[in-house]
Amino acid sequence: MPVHDWTRVDAGIFHAFHHDWITDIARALNRGILPGDYYALPEQHAAGFGPDVLTLQGSRDEGPDANGSAAPVSSDGGGLLVAASQLAPTAETDMEFYYRRQSSIAIRHVSGDRIVAMIEIVSPGNKSTRHALRKFVEKAADLLSGGVHLLILDLFPPGPRDPNGIHAAIWDEVAGQPYAPPADKPLMVAAYETALAIRAYVRHVAVGDSLPEMPLFLEPNGCVQAPLEATYQSAFAAMPLRWRRVLEAPTA
């Protein structure tokens, strides 16, 4: 199923789809993709990313070793943790990213139920004002600096507040480097792996393309594949026929 042009409908219609897609991704992850020591839960919040993960979670000392070595994974069911992403990173920070103060899915580890990764589907509200976009970008940087891996899905083209897309805004914040997306593929999915450096794995798509599988990092050098296309299809199939017809209508 191709990606649809969500600018054809108002934000409330996308919000309904967003809710179902988040639910379907979490269910798919919990049905055998995640290793047995991890689980996914949708998180409700006002805007941007979820609650203040770093405040709620406290120290990162229980996480993977500072040298990036992966913690052992239990074998009591669940998926297998891939040793490393099969994708080459699009970019990597050229020095250590110093830790500084600055509806998602939270991926948690059973040890203390600590959050290790978050999945965020960008909504029109995240780009509606400069403040909203800035808050989203700063929260992403804050999570990465706190050792939380990210997977960000943006099915809206760049606008006046993010002329090069939301990844460019995040990458400028964490790496101080420019990023120019391809003009013919304005939509974006990006995985971020955080350790001593941050690696970004970015794939661009256009309306009419299928979504790629993307790495969801649970540890430095350890990820599973997020089933974006299959869950997109199942969420879209649950949309009211009235709005599916609008979104599936040929471009004039």
Side-chain angles (χ1 to χ4, degrees):
M1 180 184 294
V3 172
H4 299 90
D5 181 0
W6 289 96
T7 63
R8 290 183 174 187
V9 297
D10 66 29
I13 302 303
F14 182 76
H15 175 76
F17 170 77
H18 175 288
H19 179 272
D20 286 347
W21 195 14
I22 283 284
T23 299
D24 285 355
I25 292 172
R27 286 174 175 168
L29 292 172
N30 288 328
R31 285 172 176 160
I33 292 176
L34 290 174
D37 288 343
Y38 296 86
Y39 64 93
L41 282 179
E43 301 263 331
Q44 299 222 353
H45 49 82
F49 286 96
D52 191 340
V53 173
L54 306 182
T55 299
L56 295 177
Q57 197 154 281
S59 172
R60 301 173 65 226
D61 292 344
E62 295 179 358
D65 294 341
N67 62 11
S69 63
V73 177
S74 74
S75 58
D76 59 342
L80 296 177
L81 188 64
V82 178
S85 170
Q86 298 176 18
L87 296 179
T90 305
E92 180 177 350
T93 51
D94 56 4
M95 64 182 67
E96 179 175 352
F97 185 73
Y98 294 100
Y99 301 120
R100 59 183 183 267
R101 298 183 63 84
Q102 315 246 55
S103 189
S104 309
I105 298 174
I107 314 301
R108 297 175 182 266
H109 191 273
V110 295
S111 60
D113 299 304
R114 58 187 173 85
I115 295 178
V116 299
M118 294 194 73
I119 303 173
E120 176 74 16
I121 300 172
V122 178
S123 70
N126 296 131
K127 303 182 180 187
S128 61
T129 65
R130 290 181 183 176
H131 174 73
L133 179 63
R134 188 67 193 158
K135 184 176 180 180
F136 185 95
V137 169
E138 289 179 347
K139 189 67 175 183
D142 201 32
L143 289 168
L144 290 169
S145 75
V148 177
H149 310 285
L150 301 179
L151 178 57
I152 296 178
L153 317 176
D154 187 3
L155 300 188
F156 289 88
R161 297 176 187 89
D162 65 332
N164 289 315
I166 213 152
H167 167 69
I170 292 171
W171 200 244
D172 180 61
E173 180 74 14
V174 302
Q177 299 170 0
Y179 179 83
D184 61 335
K185 294 196 179 279
L187 315 181
M188 179 279 301
V189 292
Y192 299 87
E193 174 191 15
T194 179
L196 293 179
I198 295 171
R199 297 185 182 95
Y201 302 78
V202 185
R203 293 295 178 268
H204 287 275
V205 296
V207 170
D209 291 347
S210 296
L211 288 168
E213 283 197 344
M214 290 295 291
L216 171 62
F217 286 92
L218 308 178
E219 309 168 344
N221 301 314
C223 68
V224 296
Q225 297 299 308
L228 301 185
E229 177 64 17
T231 53
Y232 181 95
Q233 289 183 26
S234 62
F236 188 81
M239 290 282 291
L241 178 60
R242 185 258 192 273
W243 295 110
R244 280 187 280 135
R245 284 175 171 166
V246 170
L247 290 160
E248 291 174 333
T251 303

